[in-house]
Amino acid sequence: VQLQASGGGYVQAGGSLRLSCAASGRTFRDYDMAWFRQGPGKEREFAAAIRWSGGTTLYADSVKGRFTISRDNNAKNIVYLQMDSLRPDDTAVYYCAVTPRVALSALRVPSSYRYWGQGTQVTVSS
C-alpha cells in the first residue's frame, strides 16, 4: 500500500489550500481515512477523519468550520482536505492515513492507522 499526498504550499493567513492523498495497492472501500498534522516542535495531532462509507466525518475543534474532509465517490481511494480561512497556527506537515474500519472513538488516535503517507508541508504566513 502506498499513500501519496500533495497540495501543500505557502499561503497567507485567510487563504485556502486543498490537500489530496491518493492510496494505491489494494481496494479501500472498507477503509477509514484521515488527516493528521505535526507543527514545529509539536506532537502529531488529529485534524479530520472520514468513515469508509463517507457518511461520517470528524474534526478537531481547532479546524472545525474551516476544514472539510471528503473522499472520491468511485474507487474511494482518494481523500481530500479543503482548508479555508487558514491561520499561522495551521502551519504543519500534514499526513494522510488509512486503516481498515475502526471504532468511531479510535478515529482520532494515530496508532489506530495502519498506513501513512509521506507528509506535505503547509506554511501559513501572518
Side-chain angles (χ1 to χ4, degrees):
V1 172
Q2 288 190 324
L3 303 178
Q4 182 66 47
S6 61
Y10 183 93
V11 65
Q12 289 189 329
S16 298
L17 284 174
R18 190 190 195 208
L19 305 184
S20 300
C21 177
S24 61
R26 59 152 297 137
T27 58
F28 294 92
R29 294 183 181 275
D30 293 337
Y31 275 55
D32 297 324
M33 308 180 92
W35 289 93
F36 288 78
R37 65 185 186 180
Q38 187 165 12
K42 298 180 181 180
E43 294 187 355
R44 191 169 300 189
E45 65 175 10
F46 171 77
I50 186 166
R51 288 291 244 170
W52 61 275
S53 64
T56 300
T57 55
L58 293 177
Y59 297 94
D61 288 344
S62 58
V63 308
K64 196 175 297 182
R66 301 186 299 120
F67 290 10
T68 304
I69 189 171
S70 61
R71 61 194 294 173
D72 72 292
N73 291 323
N74 294 321
K76 294 192 181 295
N77 68 324
I78 303 176
V79 61
Y80 304 99
L81 188 67
Q82 177 66 40
M83 305 186 295
D84 299 316
S85 302
L86 282 162
R87 310 185 306 217
D89 60 358
D90 293 318
T91 294
V93 177
Y94 283 71
Y95 298 90
C96 57
V98 301
T99 196
R101 301 187 210 179
V102 295
L104 193 63
S105 59
L107 287 174
R108 299 175 184 268
V109 181
S111 61
S112 299
Y113 291 83
R114 184 176 297 181
Y115 304 108
W116 290 82
Q118 84 286 3
T120 184
Q121 176 70 47
V122 171
T123 302
V124 184
S125 66
S126 58

